[in-house]
Amino acid sequence: MKEQIVAKFRQIMAFLNKDKNPYFFSIGLLVLGTLTVYTSPRSIPGFLLFVFAASSIYWLRMNRGIQLALAVFVAIILVPILGARNVFYLEVIFQIAVFSALALGLNIVVGFSGLLNFGYMAFYAVGAYLWAFFGSQQPYLLHSTVTTKSLNTPFFLAPDWFYLFIFLGVIVAAILGLILGLPVLRVRGDYLAVITLAFGEIVRQLANNLDKPLNFTNGPQGITPIQRPTMPEGILKVFNTIFDPVIGHRITDNQAYNILFYVIALLVVVAVIFVTFRLDDSKVGRAWTAIREDELSAGAMGINANKMKLGAFFVGASFAGAMGVLFAASRTFVSPETFTFLQSVQVLTMVILGGIGSITGVIVGATVVTLLNIQVLQSFSLFLSQLRQSDAAFLGFHFKNLSNQLDPSKYQRLVFGILLVVMMIYKPAGLIPAARRKRELTEGEGDDAVENEVARG
Amino acid sequence: MRNIMGAGPAREIIMPIIQMAIFVAGAGALCSVVMIILALLFQGSGADHLLQSTQGVGIFAYTVGNLPQVLIDGMTIGFVYAAIALGYTMVYGVLQFINFAHSEIFAIGAFAGVESLIALNAVKKLADAGRIEAFTYFGLALLIGMAMAGGVAVLVERVAYRPLRGSPKLVPLISAIGVSFALQDIIRMTESLTTGQFFRVIPAIDYFDIHKHPFAFLQIPVIKDIDIQVKSLVVILAAVLMLVALNYLVKATKVGKAIRAVAQDPNTAAILGIGVNGIISLTFLVGGSLGGAAGVMYALKFTRVDPFVGFMPGIKAFAAAVLGGIGNLTGALLGGIVLGMIESFAGAYLGTFTQGNFGAEYKDMVAFLILILVIIFRPNGLLGENVGQKA
């Protein structure tokens, strides 16, 4: 049965990749997807079709140049236009970008070098709080509590410092990664997982409690408002004059900001992807893999495992720092709620679902989980609440009686949890496994047993 | 055979009680001495003046006056942690794997206990229950909580861990995290679908809320005012009973011998005719039911349970297990008691000594810091064997 499906799939792929077929299919899908989303901006199948069409640029075999041109066209022209018609999609894509960068960062630590990290959100939190503190009125409010805050306190920095802070976020988070990495070098495996979990919780609790003696984080209420960078006026004007007829209305200030943050997130993600690809293919990347597979042998081959592990923490944390700054600016609000253990596990789910160590896989994982999280579950909730209001009955059960508490969008834990268990049991290498990882997981069982024996001594 | 049974089963009952007494006395005394020295050092400081002006007592008198209460609180919560930590440590001993879902097993026990007390309360008003009735009902709730938690723990092992046995180390760990999250929402879903709300409050049993002054007859100033709630006594009593029973099971029975054999070397144990799968299930049953019992005790002490109630006690109990030396039953006891004491002291005195700048909200962080420090500097714990490289 399985072989038949695989054979059929291969056949279809071969047909799609024949001659000029990929160009027709990809462009055809794109036109179709764009038209559906354009005409009915609220349709979810339409949006999923569009996402599928965009992804086809990647997985169909085409000329590299044309692929790149198509991707740039979709990213720079199509998405902003469609996004301006329904800002929700820009939000979805923005979140996909943010989580892709986070998942890629975690992938370096977990996937490339095999160091399980449950406290990854700490670095994201540090980036977010960095800009939240300096990009708001908070530095002037160190001695005041939530209630005594005066409304006309000036902002500490001009909004355009934001761009510098993206780089500062990278540096600060990376240094924090080093600080966490230093003691962690002494432990491995599950103890490492627990220690990072504790670290993540400590950072969150600090964010929660550092409203006294000096009010750094404003406690559980979080910091707001945080400044956004100033809108580049010229670009907005050009955008409006060109796309006004297509979009059908002049975009509002908020929509413009959505597009701006989308573009910045896109740039960061492209940079992150570039760095990850280069690292994976470098001496450092191979050293990480070697450590992951067998630290002892790697050491014998002259790899400085400690240095490499620190490097993994350093790079992984830096991605999260940059995204944290971006997140704080785009939300204009941060609170400790955003950086819980649940969020760390969510990013881990993305990495594992997509394929540990596989760059494409991780991005696919981030896309799928984000879509699941903020779109599929949400619309399922909506569907249930509509059922509740209707008179429908199924097998004698009246949906009116369905409890209000059954709200799928609030059951992310269940979804992530089951995803993790099922993936571990049936597909530990992920949906799109990394080539090296796949080999390791199929052959590694024997090695592990030997390792255990050695450890037992 | 002779070595183990030779000393007589009675020894396995008395020994752990003596151990626990030593642990409690030692940890309590150590914490108290440190606190008293700190109080002496802080005399004349800002914190001292603040106390003088608000409560009319100096920092030394304040510290000493509160000591008995803090010690009793630390002991109560310490025993709860010890009971949870035993679940972690037993599973680790047998499978060398951290059962992250244990905190949710604890929560399931808490919910089962609370739900059964609520059901009982609907039949007969628990608030007016007398001493014997109160103990019977609580014992019943404890048993139901244990049964539920133990059952779920066995089920979880069968579904989510057994298929992964022999795979690389991180695989079952990730699966355990998944189970932990799924269970949280399964509890929430069941509770909210059946009762319409996802948190539950344990019905009041007035007898358990009575305050006793057991040392009043001694006529010593601070000691005669010691005030223990029956609740705390019940928790301590139940925990001690269970810990002794567990110790007896593992150290003085044939089944316990099989558990230890599997922990030492599963392959050889299998050759010698021990059903390894059965023993692993049994380990989960025993560890899970201890966790469940701890859940019911926790619910009795803190009255409110929600689906996420297990996370903090779970991670703290894990810290306790690591502190004592993971895989070591006595170590889990020691770790739980020490952690409970430290936490209770931090919660009671941190705010006063720092003039409210760092309050009791930092007591969770204390547990995390201990966990990190122990793992880094003494990964085999206070009593553990060397597992550092394996972990």
Side-chain angles (χ1 to χ4, degrees):
Chain A
M1 184 64 195
K2 200 179 163 189
E3 286 80 30
Q4 278 173 345
I5 295 173
V6 171
K8 198 83 201 156
F9 183 73
R10 288 239 170 84
Q11 222 177 333
I12 294 172
M13 284 305 288
F15 173 68
L16 287 180
N17 279 329
K18 209 167 62 185
D19 304 332
K20 297 251 177 291
N21 277 357
Y23 303 98
F24 291 129
F25 274 108
S26 188
I27 294 172
L29 271 174
L30 267 179
V31 171
L32 195 66
T34 312
L35 280 180
T36 2
V37 178
Y38 187 82
T39 46
S40 51
R42 280 176 210 296
S43 135
I44 287 164
F47 180 67
L48 291 180
L49 180 69
F50 181 74
V51 172
F52 178 70
S55 73
S56 75
I57 300 173
Y58 174 79
W59 52 260
L60 286 175
R61 215 172 291 147
M62 288 186 276
N63 182 307
R64 263 320 249 291
I66 297 180
Q67 246 174 346
L68 205 66
L70 269 178
V72 169
F73 174 74
V74 169
I76 306 288
I77 313 271
L78 275 186
V79 171
I81 294 177
L82 295 175
R85 283 178 66 85
N86 184 356
V87 174
F88 180 66
Y89 290 138
L90 266 188
E91 169 61 24
V92 173
I93 293 173
F94 174 74
Q95 290 218 14
I96 290 177
V98 168
F99 279 114
S100 295
L102 289 177
L104 282 169
L106 186 62
N107 182 45
I108 287 186
V109 183
V110 178
F112 289 174
S113 23
L115 307 161
L116 198 50
N117 185 347
F118 282 144
Y120 191 63
M121 274 291 147
F123 307 122
Y124 187 52
V126 165
Y129 268 98
L130 186 73
W131 177 241
F133 182 74
F134 288 106
S136 69
Q137 303 139 325
Q138 205 61 29
Y140 294 120
L141 301 171
L142 283 178
H143 293 285
S144 52
T145 58
V146 183
T147 40
T148 61
K149 175 179 168 180
S150 101
L151 281 174
N152 43 22
T153 322
F155 282 97
F156 186 67
L157 289 176
D160 280 339
W161 281 85
F162 164 77
Y163 297 105
L164 178 70
F165 267 76
I166 291 187
F167 295 100
L168 278 183
V170 169
I171 295 167
V172 172
I175 291 173
L176 197 76
L178 277 188
I179 294 174
L180 171 67
L182 274 176
V184 151
L185 292 177
R186 294 174 59 114
V187 289
R188 271 201 268 179
D190 37 15
Y191 268 25
L192 178 66
V194 171
I195 225 172
T196 50
L197 165 63
F199 177 78
E201 277 300 304
I202 286 181
V203 168
R204 188 176 68 85
Q205 300 241 355
L206 277 179
N208 214 0
N209 292 329
L210 269 185
D211 50 349
K212 61 189 177 175
L214 283 177
N215 189 0
F216 283 109
T217 64
N218 208 15
Q221 279 84 12
I223 300 176
T224 193
I226 302 164
Q227 297 181 94
R228 304 185 284 197
T230 44
M231 184 55 87
E233 274 307 318
I235 295 179
L236 187 61
K237 209 170 273 171
V238 173
F239 187 89
N240 262 330
T241 39
I242 298 176
F243 294 126
D244 199 8
V246 195
I247 297 168
H249 60 88
R250 285 186 78 80
I251 56 172
T252 64
D253 204 33
N254 263 331
Q255 284 171 337
Y257 266 112
N258 274 307
I259 295 175
L260 178 69
F261 281 118
Y262 157 74
V263 173
I264 299 173
L266 201 68
L267 288 178
V268 176
V269 165
V270 169
V272 163
I273 293 175
F274 180 73
V275 170
T276 317
F277 262 113
R278 299 293 293 168
L279 278 175
D280 190 26
D281 222 7
S282 72
K283 206 175 152 185
V284 179
R286 282 192 293 275
W288 281 335
T289 316
I291 294 173
R292 182 187 73 203
E293 288 178 3
D294 191 339
E295 200 177 319
L296 219 60
S297 318
M301 300 306 289
I303 292 169
N304 184 343
N306 283 355
K307 217 160 110 188
M308 286 300 155
K309 281 185 186 174
L310 279 183
F313 269 102
F314 187 84
V315 178
S318 63
F319 294 172
M323 273 308 172
V325 173
L326 185 60
F327 174 82
S330 75
R331 293 297 117 110
T332 70
F333 166 70
V334 294
S335 82
E337 279 296 289
T338 319
F339 312 106
T340 52
F341 183 45
L342 173 68
Q343 300 292 320
S344 291
V345 171
Q346 181 177 346
V347 178
L348 186 72
T349 313
M350 293 166 181
V351 175
I352 283 164
L353 181 73
I356 300 178
S358 139
I359 298 171
T360 325
V362 166
I363 297 171
V364 170
T367 312
V368 171
V369 172
T370 312
L371 282 178
L372 197 68
N373 202 358
I374 60 181
Q375 216 166 12
V376 178
L377 288 182
Q378 295 279 9
S379 50
F380 195 48
S381 290
L382 204 68
F383 171 72
L384 277 186
S385 74
Q386 279 165 353
L387 262 187
R388 241 172 245 133
Q389 281 151 13
S390 69
D391 283 330
F394 180 71
L395 293 176
F397 178 80
H398 290 273
F399 284 106
K400 268 182 293 195
N401 304 334
L402 200 65
S403 164
N404 283 326
Q405 297 281 340
L406 191 66
D407 182 353
S409 67
K410 289 186 190 151
Y411 284 95
Q412 304 153 340
R413 287 161 194 267
L414 186 67
V415 176
F416 296 159
I418 290 176
L419 264 181
L420 283 178
V421 176
V422 169
M423 289 305 290
M424 281 301 108
I425 294 180
Y426 295 106
K427 235 171 161 4
L431 293 179
I432 304 173
R436 269 189 285 206
R437 179 84 187 169
K438 204 173 175 183
R439 278 202 300 275
E440 182 207 349
L441 275 173
T442 42
E443 294 167 9
E445 292 168 18
D447 295 351
D448 199 59
V450 173
E451 198 186 311
N452 276 345
E453 285 309 308
V454 173
R456 274 170 211 277
Chain B
M1 194 70 179
R2 207 184 161 79
N3 278 343
I4 290 148
M5 303 299 286
R11 187 171 168 269
E12 291 302 339
I13 297 179
I14 298 163
M15 267 300 285
I17 295 183
I18 297 174
Q19 271 174 350
M20 277 187 254
I22 294 173
F23 291 162
V24 169
L30 199 67
C31 286
S32 308
V33 167
V34 169
M35 218 56 232
I36 287 172
I37 293 174
L38 274 179
L40 286 174
L41 289 177
F42 267 70
Q43 256 179 342
S45 71
D48 196 12
H49 295 308
L50 191 73
L51 267 180
Q52 294 273 17
S53 59
T54 51
Q55 303 196 8
V57 285
I59 197 151
F60 183 73
Y62 175 86
T63 307
V64 174
N66 277 316
L67 263 185
Q69 200 54 52
V70 175
L71 282 171
I72 287 164
D73 281 348
M75 197 165 133
T76 320
I77 194 74
F79 275 118
V80 174
Y81 289 158
I84 312 171
L86 279 170
Y88 281 108
T89 237
M90 284 188 74
V91 168
Y92 197 93
V94 173
L95 291 179
Q96 278 83 47
F97 133 82
I98 301 170
N99 180 13
F100 255 105
H102 194 59
S103 49
E104 275 58 51
I105 303 292
F106 164 89
I108 286 176
F111 266 99
V114 171
E115 285 294 347
S116 50
L117 280 181
I118 289 174
L120 271 175
N121 195 32
V123 183
K124 187 179 181 310
K125 200 124 180 61
L126 288 183
D128 318 324
R131 183 195 305 177
I132 298 186
E133 279 172 301
F135 272 106
T136 319
Y137 295 147
F138 180 68
L140 199 65
L142 207 60
L143 283 181
I144 293 174
M146 286 171 79
M148 273 290 282
V152 174
V154 172
L155 191 73
V156 164
E157 191 271 334
R158 183 70 196 80
V159 173
Y161 303 154
R162 193 175 297 181
L164 300 174
R165 222 177 278 161
S167 39
K169 263 204 125 156
L170 296 186
V171 170
L173 190 66
I174 292 168
S175 177
I177 289 278
V179 172
S180 156
F181 271 77
L183 280 181
Q184 283 179 3
D185 259 0
I186 290 173
I187 299 173
R188 187 156 68 113
M189 194 184 263
T190 354
E191 281 298 320
S192 50
L193 284 185
T194 51
T195 66
Q197 63 196 25
F198 63 82
F199 65 90
R200 298 296 265 170
V201 178
I202 198 165
I205 304 177
D206 286 350
Y207 173 73
F208 285 161
D209 290 328
I210 300 172
H211 289 261
K212 297 234 171 193
H213 298 268
F215 302 112
F217 64 91
L218 282 175
Q219 299 297 330
I220 306 169
V222 177
I223 299 201
K224 78 172 165 24
D225 295 332
I226 292 180
D227 161 327
I228 306 181
Q229 221 177 351
V230 177
K231 226 185 235 187
S232 303
L233 280 179
V234 171
V235 170
I236 293 172
L237 185 74
V240 169
L241 272 180
M242 238 148 350
L243 298 181
V244 170
L246 175 84
N247 195 67
Y248 186 81
L249 175 81
V250 174
K251 293 203 172 136
T253 64
K254 213 168 170 181
V255 173
K257 207 176 179 186
I259 293 180
R260 279 177 294 143
V262 172
Q264 209 168 45
D265 188 341
N267 293 336
T268 315
I271 292 170
L272 295 176
I274 295 171
V276 174
N277 276 338
I279 290 297
I280 289 175
S281 289
L282 182 79
T283 312
F284 273 87
L285 179 71
V286 173
S289 40
L290 264 180
V296 184
M297 293 187 249
Y298 187 89
L300 181 71
K301 178 128 177 67
F302 296 97
T303 63
R304 201 190 116 124
V305 288
D306 64 59
F308 316 115
V309 75
F311 181 67
M312 273 298 160
I315 192 104
K316 284 178 191 164
F318 178 74
V322 174
L323 178 65
I326 198 152
N328 181 323
L329 296 187
T330 320
L333 262 179
L334 175 64
I337 291 166
V338 170
L339 197 76
M341 283 290 176
I342 294 178
E343 191 187 307
S344 169
F345 272 82
Y349 293 120
L350 207 55
T352 324
F353 275 71
T354 58
Q355 301 178 43
N357 285 333
F358 299 97
E361 64 268 19
Y362 280 90
K363 72 175 185 190
D364 291 342
M365 224 137 71
V366 170
F368 291 127
L369 276 179
I370 291 176
L371 180 63
I372 291 182
L373 293 178
V374 171
I375 288 185
I376 291 173
F377 295 110
R378 200 175 156 77
N380 32 350
L382 296 175
L383 301 181
E385 302 132 47
N386 187 8
V387 293
Q389 273 310 301
K390 240 198 289 189

